[in-house]
Amino acid sequence: SPGPIVEQFILNFTIINLRFTTDLGTPNSAKFNSTEKIMQHYIDPLLQKSSIGPYFTGCKVIGFRSGRDRDDTGVDAVCSYKNNVSLARFDREKVYHELSAMTNGVTKLGHYSLEKNSLYVNG
């Protein structure tokens, strides 16, 4: 039988207390790289505690974008997990609800404040 297949999903959210700057929007800039590491420090442990935790292999921030307000920064990440027969079909709604609960109703991510209606999990 085939081994586990690596599958991906997109995670998006908006931070309301991280001002977007052009260097933050420039991949591989010092600001992008340092902020990417911080985001992974917060995102990865949440997903490790979720229902996909045993299969979760990590997230990679692929971009930061300007939010509706210039003080807001949107975060886009590609997250991976190993899919195999022992894992039920990826349930994006379940993962969304778990992440929502772990971020105090989509309001906190570490010392960052989140825009309440900005969390998206795309299966």
Side-chain angles (χ1 to χ4, degrees):
S1 72
I5 299 167
V6 175
E7 304 232 9
Q8 297 181 322
F9 62 95
I10 304 289
L11 182 66
N12 313 96
F13 55 91
T14 300
I15 299 172
I16 58 176
N17 61 337
L18 176 62
R19 181 179 287 259
F20 181 79
T21 58
T22 53
D23 57 338
L24 188 55
T26 306
N28 297 318
S29 69
K31 178 87 171 179
F32 180 99
N33 290 341
S34 64
T35 307
E36 174 192 23
K37 285 185 180 112
I38 293 166
M39 288 301 112
Q40 286 184 238
H41 170 79
Y42 288 124
I43 297 168
D44 285 358
L46 291 179
L47 286 162
Q48 288 167 346
K49 293 176 192 168
S50 77
S51 58
I52 66 165
Y55 312 98
F56 175 69
T57 58
C59 289
K60 170 109 176 98
V61 173
I62 57 171
F64 296 103
R65 57 192 152 64
S66 178
R68 280 182 250 158
D69 182 333
R70 67 181 182 169
D71 289 336
D72 299 354
T73 297
V75 179
D76 302 317
V78 174
C79 302
S80 301
Y81 64 98
K82 289 182 181 169
N83 190 359
N84 62 34
V85 291
S86 65
L87 175 65
R89 183 183 63 79
F90 177 75
D91 185 340
R92 71 182 181 90
E93 286 187 29
K94 183 176 184 179
V95 172
Y96 169 86
H97 289 295
E98 291 169 342
L99 292 176
S100 177
M102 289 187 265
T103 57
N104 296 332
V106 192
T107 60
K108 289 299 243 181
L109 181 65
H111 65 274
Y112 293 105
S113 298
L114 301 177
E115 184 179 289
K116 186 156 181 54
N117 296 314
S118 70
L119 178 64
Y120 293 95
V121 176
N122 177 14

